[in-house]
Each structure stands twice: as C-alpha cells, then as structure tokens.
Amino acid sequence: MFDLALFVIFPYVALVLEIAVSFYRYFNGSYKFSSLSSEFLEGRELFWGSQPWHYGILFVLVGHVVGFLFPKEVLLFNEVPVRRLILEVTALTFGLMALVGLLVLIRRRFTNDRVWAVTAKMDLFVLFLLLIQTFSGIYIAVQYRWGSSWYASALVPYLRSLFVLKPNLEYIAPMPWVVKLHIANAYCLIAVLPFTRLVHFLVLPVSYVWRSWQVVIWNWDRKKIRKV
Amino acid sequence: MDVRSQISILFHLDKCIGCHTCSIACKNLWTDRKGAEYMWWNNVETKPGTGFPHRWENQEDYKGGWVKEGNSIDLKGAGKFRGLKNIFHNPNLPIIDDYYEPWTYKYEDLFTAPEGNDQPVAQPISQITGKPIEIKSGPNWDDDLGGSPLYARKDPNLEKLNAQEQEDLFKVEKLVMMYLPRICNHCLNPSCVASCPSGAIYKRGEDGIVLINQEKCRGWRMCVTGCPYKKVFYNWSTGKSEKCLLCYPRIEAGEIPACMHSCVGRIRYLGVLLYDADKMKDVVHLDEDQLVEAQRDMILDPRDPKVIYEARKNGIHDSVIESAQKSPVYRFVKEWKMGLPLHPEYRTLPMLFYVPPLLPILGKMNLDVYDTSCADYFSTIEKARLPVKYLASLFTAGNEGMVREVLKKMMAVRIYRRSETVGDIQGADMALKEAGLTRAVAEDIYTLTALATLEDRFVIPPSHREEALAMEGMELVKPGDLGFGFRDRPERM
C-alpha cells in the first residue's frame, strides 16, 4: 500500500505538478525563473562548490537518462568486466565530485553572511533534498555494486512501466530501502522543482548558440515600410 | 545605406564642476531600492583615478568589450562558447567589493541609547546583511583625489605615459585632475547585448536605447562581464541585471533625462544622430587609432536629401529627421569634430561623446612667486598639465592628433572671445585659422557651449509611441490591462 502511494501515485502527482506549475509560472510572470545567483556577493568559494557540483551532477543525470533510454545497450556494454568497472568508477567519481561541491555550497550558504541574506527557506529545503539524493546515490553505488547493470535490468522496466501508464510494482518491492529512498526523493525533487530556484534548469539559454549577436526590437513593422 | 536613428549624448567636460547632482537625481529616481543601493547608473569620476568599480578600465582583469580578431571581432570575456562554458561560475564577474558594500546607519540608536557618559553614535550597518560593518569603500571614494597614491596612481590610463610623464603628474605644483561623468553609452555595437545568453538585453530600433527586459533576464550575469564600461549592474536581491535606461519614460513623454535636466554645469546635450548601420561591419575591426574617425563617418548628414530619402524608406518619422537636423550632438560631433567617444578601443561604438577639458593654465615658480601669467595668455597645449597623451588614452585610443585638434579649437574660440569682449589680446584670427575655424563657426561653438538654452541643449525626438501601441501584443493597449510594476513581490519563497 505504502509502495503504491510512493511509487505509483506520487510520481504522477510529481510530474503533473512539475509540468503544470512550470507552465503556469512561466506564462504568468517568468520573472522568478532564475537561479538567483549569489556569485556577486561571494565568488571564490562558489567556484569550488558550483563547478564540481554542476559537472558532477550533470554527468550522473545524463547517465541515468542514457540508462533509461538504452537499457539493452548499457547491459551489452557492461558484459565486459573492464568496461563495467571503468563506467562504475567514472560515475562514482562524478558522483563524489557532486557531493563535495554540494557540501561546499551548503557550507558557504550557512557561513557567509551575505549569501545567507539572499537565502530563502525553499533554498534550504532544496539543498536538503539534494543532499539526501546525492548521498543516497553514492551509498547505493558503493553498497550495491554494478548499479549501472541492475539499474538497466531491474529499475528501468519499472520507470518505463510508469511512462506507458501501466505501473508495475514487481521490480520495486524487493529493492533495499536506500534505493527506495533514492527514487522517492527524486520524485520529491521533481515535484518541488517549479516552486524553487531549480527552475533555472528549465530555461537554459540554448538559443544563444544560434542567435545573432545583436538584438534590436523595432517600434514599427520593418517589412511594412511607410510610403515615402 | 541602412539609416537608423540614435539618441546620442554629449558631455562637455570643460564645463563639468564635479558636483554629482546628476548622480543624485538618477539615484533618487531609479536605484533607491533594495539590491540597487550600490548601483550608480550615473557616476562622476575624478581622473586620474581608479573609477567605479575599482579600476574598471583594466580589461585584463574585467575582460569587457570586444577584441579584434583578424577582419572581425570577438567578445573578450563573454561570448557564445566562453559564456556557456562559464555559466556555472563566471570567472570574469566583478563582485560587490569591487564596487562597495552599501551601508546605512543605525539611527535608532541615537534615540534609544540609555543615558550614559558618552554621546550615542549611529553605527554603520550593511544594507545587505544588516550587521555592523567597517566601511572600506563607498561611492566616489576617490572623489577629488587627483595626485593621491592610492587612487590617482592606480589609474590604468597612466600606463600609457612614460615614467617621467607620470612623475610630473604627481609633483605638488603640477597636480591636476578632471571630472569624468559616465552613464551607459547606448553603444551601436553593444557588447552587453551580445553577451546576454537569454537575449534579454536589446537595442530599441527607433532610438537606439539599450534596455534589459526584466522578465526575460535569467541572471546569468554575462552582461556585467561583457560591458567594458561596467555600466550593467547585477541586482543581488532580485537576481536580475539593471542598467541606465536613458530615462526612456521621460524621453517618451518629451522630457529630459533626469541626470541631464539636473546638470548644474549645463554640460549635457542630447539629440538624435542618423547613422548608416551598413558601415558597422567595416568599422568595428579597424585599427585602434582609426576607430574614432570611422565612427564619425558612420554618422550621416540629416540635411542631405539622399539621407532623408533613405531614412524615410527605413521608416524613420519626419519629425525624427527634423530633430536630427536640430541636434546639438550632431554639431559638436560631426560638424565641429569636437566630441570624442570614451575608450573607443573597446569597439562597442559608444554613442555618448565627450568634449575633452581644456587644460588649466600652467603656473611656474619664479623667485618663490607662483606666477600664472604667460606671454601667449592661454599658454599652449604642449605645456598642458594634463598630458595630451593621457586624454588620448581616454578618448581616442591613443590618437594624440585628434585630441590636440579639439583642444586647439577650444583654445581658438577662447582667444577669439577674449579679443571680442575684452580686446586685450591679439592673434585671434591666427588662432582660428590654425584651428581651421571661421569667425562664424567660432561664434556658433561659443553660443552652443556657453549661452545655449534648455531647448538648444536638448532636442528630444517625438517617440511616436502610438505606432508601437498600434502593433499587436503590446502592453497597456487592451482595456483591463494592469500597467507597470510587479504583480507579485520579487522575493522568493
């Protein structure tokens, strides 16, 4: 029953919240869609926190997505023990990098008066969730080895069953509690995302790459030129 | 020919008295808010000096503006690859200590302190943390400190001078300073716009004012790095960048921007310039000493029928063309060639021009008497206290001839006027001829410099907002629209 609420109902609620609230907030004043950078108030410590955190978590996140999209290929890749070892060690390194970065960021937020002045309650909540997520992830990676393989074979089917609207709890039930925590906490993060500064990741400025350097906005329709 | 109109500004530094009235007018109107306390969209610097933020002209540290790369240009510290690579941490971002930590005083203590043997004092407290702070720096911290080892010595422009010339600037009897008021230059090739990953900063087509859309700004802060003049400021409370908006709500209502309207020395002029945007790509990558001349060439004669024809074809309203014909900035910059842009070597094509200050008469020690009289009355430019080389470093990217040309004109006008009004010196015609001026032109320069009325100094083009409103999707058109301002508080949860 508890599993049903946490791993079948909650993910849908979280996803609906994420999408609906993000859209609602974006189109009703996207003013707050940013990460509220505090680099201007403190720059040096941020470097040692933000860089390892972002690069670490990005690699790990992309890893999760790749595993979700191509489970067979991942399993095939992992058949050779050396390849599996390299993959696991790399992923763990990035995970540890993210954890170190996160700890630096948390320390910075609590010890720097200026940064504390721009810290909202929700920021602390997000940091708390992220800490649980990163820490449990690393714990799982160390404790239950070859996660890349059993994630692909045991968890991806569950995740996919959610996506095709035929939730299947078979795979979840026998999982250790840390793995369950990791999954439930991930849903938590998805649910709170649109309410927090995490929204900055929804508005990544990718269009900058192909945009022209200068932006000019005209008062009149340039194509419909006034008669001379 | 792609004719566009640009509201341009001219500051006549010969008239600036360094009173900071402009800064205060701007502060009261725009930046008297949380997160904006440290911002000075308009500030007045003492030169030689370090400026605001500290040593902003040192682009080796701040990495602002464009750099020449072959037959093109690239952003120095921001840009598509560099900007996105540094998105998690921008190594070229100035932090608040490069400006100053804003503070107020705990005035309450003056009233609530218990009776004691000492007078109660109002302690300074930080406007960020609310805790007591030790004030290390503040606005205009280097005000009037020409000659000081702490500030004047650290002026990045001094690096252009040789050791002897630098020493001369710091001799007690030769100490010198000038004022440099600065606002956003509303550049033709703005590097803040180019460095904004969100595309939130834009140049208005109709008048060239550069603005930041606060709704679109995501606070990536690349514009702060991108602007070499450090005139884009990060609001640490709202997480958005802000900058001088040339008081566009006032301009649209036909009023004069606050800093200019309040200027005590009447140093400020504002008017429309028409320019050829097609020439831009050929201008921005020229060698440094050609930049000023090339930028001047981009400015078009608003009385030339061909220019008028092309301007109309581009949608520029007749009333704007008419304003351009009356523009005082056009006269100073194009006709008289007296207006120079600040640090053209940043290649942003700034549209705020400066008439450099004419230098004070140089006195000499004569038998223990400080003697300021000299044979040719106004001394000569070569003997100037503030070396022409220094001014050239500020205004012409090192082209001394160009600065000398302007100073000669100003000197000639003075000699001419002295001979007209007092009649005790000779050689007015000589001086005018040398400067390439006629009596009529000199009279015009004198009139617009010294006697100009408010209407002469500020020729504000009609904004034709009705055309903007006629375009679909603009705000404040439909009944029931809410108007300006925030619909909810900018604070986070």
Side-chain angles (χ1 to χ4, degrees):
Chain A
M1 191 59 218
F2 194 60
D3 277 359
L4 181 77
L6 219 47
F7 299 111
V8 177
I9 301 171
F10 188 35
Y12 288 119
V13 172
L15 205 64
V16 168
L17 264 180
E18 214 261 81
I19 294 170
V21 177
S22 295
F23 271 96
Y24 176 80
R25 288 194 62 201
Y26 189 84
F27 289 107
N28 286 278
S30 63
Y31 184 76
K32 291 177 196 174
F33 262 67
S34 81
S35 64
L36 188 60
S37 162
S38 55
E39 186 186 348
F40 183 67
L41 300 174
E42 198 288 318
R44 201 162 294 168
E45 214 178 328
L46 181 78
F47 174 83
W48 296 106
S50 179
Q51 294 280 49
W53 159 253
H54 278 100
Y55 284 112
I57 203 69
L58 263 181
F59 183 89
V60 174
L61 251 180
V62 169
H64 281 63
V65 173
V66 169
F68 173 75
L69 292 176
F70 311 103
K72 276 185 203 131
E73 286 77 0
V74 170
L75 284 173
L76 213 64
F77 180 87
N78 276 352
E79 266 175 15
V80 183
V82 180
R83 285 199 275 190
R84 189 169 54 199
L85 188 69
I86 291 172
L87 181 68
E88 290 277 314
V89 169
T90 320
L92 186 63
T93 312
F94 276 95
L96 285 171
M97 211 165 106
L99 182 68
V100 170
L102 189 61
L103 289 173
V104 173
L105 289 175
I106 290 173
R107 194 195 102 91
R108 169 176 178 269
R109 209 154 266 283
F110 279 98
T111 54
N112 190 302
D113 284 343
R114 289 175 183 171
V115 179
W116 186 250
V118 291
T119 301
K121 287 189 197 87
M122 210 56 172
D123 299 341
L124 300 177
F125 184 56
V126 166
L127 282 176
F128 176 68
L129 290 184
L130 289 175
L131 189 65
I132 292 180
Q133 194 65 1
T134 323
F135 196 79
S136 61
I138 287 169
Y139 182 82
I140 292 166
V142 176
Q143 198 68 18
Y144 308 101
R145 233 169 297 149
W146 318 131
S148 54
S149 286
W150 61 254
Y151 166 70
S153 58
L155 274 180
V156 170
Y158 155 69
L159 289 173
R160 290 194 160 195
S161 74
L162 286 179
F163 267 83
V164 293
L165 301 177
K166 281 179 195 152
N168 188 344
L169 270 177
E170 261 173 51
Y171 299 96
I172 284 291
M175 285 287 167
W177 68 272
V178 201
V179 179
K180 286 186 178 175
L181 174 73
H182 192 74
I183 299 170
N185 197 56
Y187 296 148
C188 263
L189 276 166
I190 292 173
V192 299
L193 188 142
F195 299 98
T196 66
R197 57 169 54 189
L198 286 179
V199 288
H200 73 276
F201 130 97
L202 298 176
V203 286
L204 283 180
V206 276
S207 60
Y208 184 42
V209 176
W210 56 81
R211 191 195 89 198
S212 68
W213 282 115
Q214 300 296 356
V215 180
V216 183
I217 295 182
W218 291 92
N219 196 347
W220 58 78
D221 193 346
R222 286 265 285 172
K223 284 177 190 143
K224 235 174 20 191
I225 294 166
R226 200 184 291 110
K227 270 179 257 157
V228 179
Chain B
M1 199 189 281
D2 180 6
V3 181
R4 297 189 185 182
S5 59
Q6 165 84 36
I7 294 187
S8 296
I9 312 124
L10 181 115
F11 289 177
H12 200 307
L13 296 187
D14 211 22
K15 297 166 73 179
C16 183
I17 58 172
C19 65
H20 303 281
T21 310
C22 45
S23 306
I24 297 301
C26 177
K27 166 78 36 195
N28 282 337
L29 199 51
W30 298 117
T31 59
D32 191 12
R33 292 169 285 124
K34 190 179 177 196
E37 303 96 339
Y38 83 95
M39 294 181 199
W40 292 90
W41 293 356
N42 179 110
N43 74 314
V44 184
E45 289 167 12
T46 301
K47 287 275 161 192
T50 49
F52 177 79
H54 191 72
R55 280 170 65 79
W56 62 271
E57 289 155 296
N58 183 4
Q59 303 306 342
E60 292 319 304
D61 278 353
Y62 286 109
K63 306 249 192 274
W66 302 89
V67 281
K68 180 179 161 74
E69 290 210 342
N71 270 345
S72 184
I73 51 170
D74 194 13
L75 288 170
K76 194 178 173 80
K80 295 191 176 180
F81 177 71
R82 230 172 283 116
L84 294 177
K85 184 180 66 108
N86 292 336
I87 206 152
F88 304 137
H89 181 272
N90 179 357
N92 307 321
L93 182 78
I95 62 161
I96 187 124
D97 295 316
D98 291 319
Y99 303 81
Y100 66 92
E101 184 165 351
W103 76 90
T104 180
Y105 294 92
K106 227 170 158 185
Y107 294 107
E108 196 191 338
D109 285 359
L110 297 178
F111 301 99
T112 57
E115 208 176 305
N117 293 328
D118 305 306
Q119 284 276 357
V121 282
Q123 245 192 330
I125 49 168
S126 162
Q127 282 183 304
I128 300 175
T129 63
K131 293 184 177 168
I133 61 164
E134 195 189 324
I135 301 165
K136 295 205 182 81
S137 178
N140 308 314
W141 220 235
D142 59 350
D143 199 28
D144 288 1
L145 290 179
S148 77
L150 210 54
Y151 295 105
R153 275 275 189 205
K154 291 184 182 162
D155 184 330
N157 293 295
L158 293 184
E159 286 156 20
K160 305 275 164 60
L161 274 57
N162 66 34
Q164 183 58 47
E165 288 165 327
Q166 287 193 29
E167 283 318 303
D168 282 353
L169 273 180
F170 292 92
K171 282 186 187 148
V172 171
E173 63 273 17
K174 277 189 160 187
L175 285 184
V176 67
M177 65 180 196
M178 58 174 271
Y179 294 113
L180 182 71
R182 300 200 299 124
I183 64 172
C184 167
N185 292 299
H186 297 279
C187 306
L188 292 188
N189 183 29
S191 49
C192 60
V193 176
S195 54
C196 175
S198 314
I201 316 184
Y202 61 99
K203 198 170 173 65
R204 296 213 299 197
E206 71 269 27
D207 54 14
I209 296 176
V210 177
L211 296 173
I212 302 178
N213 183 339
Q214 295 284 300
E215 287 281 324
K216 272 178 94 176
C217 172
R218 304 274 167 253
W220 303 116
R221 314 167 310 289
M222 292 301 163
C223 50
V224 183
T225 301
C227 175
Y229 302 95
K230 290 293 163 278
K231 278 293 171 192
V232 186
F233 300 88
Y234 179 72
N235 183 321
W236 52 265
S237 174
T238 62
K240 309 272 168 172
S241 289
E242 300 178 7
K243 65 180 284 299
C244 158
L245 32 78
L246 203 58
C247 285
Y248 77 86
R250 290 173 68 100
I251 284 194
E252 283 170 12
E255 283 184 46
I256 303 159
C259 60
M260 310 195 188
H261 203 168
S262 62
C263 180
V264 174
R266 302 179 183 183
I267 75 157
R268 301 189 174 207
Y269 299 76
L270 179 139
V272 176
L273 293 181
L274 301 180
Y275 68 98
D276 184 0
D278 277 344
K279 281 188 184 160
M280 187 128 62
K281 58 182 186 304
D282 303 322
V283 170
V284 287
H285 60 78
L286 288 174
D287 286 337
E288 285 188 351
D289 57 345
Q290 298 171 17
L291 280 168
V292 179
E293 191 69 58
Q295 186 182 352
R296 205 177 269 160
D297 278 345
M298 285 176 70
I299 301 167
L300 300 166
D301 180 1
R303 291 172 204 280
D304 182 347
K306 189 161 179 288
V307 172
I308 295 173
Y309 173 80
E310 293 285 341
R312 281 177 174 165
K313 219 171 82 176
N314 248 1
I316 296 173
H317 206 278
D318 281 353
S319 59
V320 176
I321 299 172
E322 217 170 282
S323 298
Q325 290 168 348
K326 291 187 205 145
S327 167
V329 182
Y330 181 81
R331 305 200 81 184
F332 272 113
V333 175
K334 183 83 177 180
E335 265 184 50
W336 304 330
K337 299 183 169 43
M338 289 169 74
L340 303 168
L342 181 63
H343 286 298
E345 71 271 23
Y346 301 156
R347 300 176 189 277
T348 61
L349 305 179
M351 288 308 261
L352 159 57
F353 298 90
Y354 292 87
V355 177
L358 192 55
L359 314 149
I361 297 163
L362 189 61
K364 51 187 180 289
M365 289 299 278
N366 197 4
L367 298 173
D368 285 345
V369 177
Y370 186 66
D371 182 14
T372 53
S373 65
C374 80
D376 41 6
Y377 203 81
F378 279 116
S379 179
T380 63
I381 291 157
E382 276 65 34
K383 283 196 212 152
R385 269 198 199 196
L386 199 56
V388 171
K389 213 188 239 180
Y390 180 82
L391 290 173
S393 164
L394 278 179
F395 300 116
T396 57
N399 187 333
E400 289 174 47
M402 233 163 179
V403 174
R404 211 168 274 132
E405 197 185 321
V406 179
L407 295 178
K408 259 191 191 147
K409 280 181 187 165
M410 295 167 74
M411 188 86 86
V413 172
R414 281 205 187 181
I415 293 170
Y416 160 72
R417 283 305 303 172
R418 175 86 189 189
S419 71
E420 286 288 293
T421 53
V422 187
D424 62 344
I425 49 172
Q426 306 297 316
D429 285 315
M430 231 336 234
L432 287 175
K433 204 178 151 205
E434 246 178 68
L437 300 172
T438 64
R439 276 174 173 260
V441 174
E443 197 64 38
D444 281 351
I445 295 176
Y446 161 70
T447 310
L448 196 57
T449 304
L451 305 178
T453 63
L454 204 72
E455 287 76 18
D456 296 330
R457 283 182 283 131
F458 304 105
V459 182
I460 295 169
S463 279
H464 293 288
R465 292 310 289 172
E466 70 280 1
E467 292 184 4
L469 296 178
M471 277 177 77
E472 252 186 315
M474 297 297 284
E475 264 176 313
L476 296 173
V477 252
K478 302 182 286 296
D481 275 355
L482 281 175
F484 293 112
F486 295 118
R487 270 161 290 178
D488 49 10
R489 292 157 66 83
E491 280 111 56
R492 312 289 162 128
M493 273 178 275

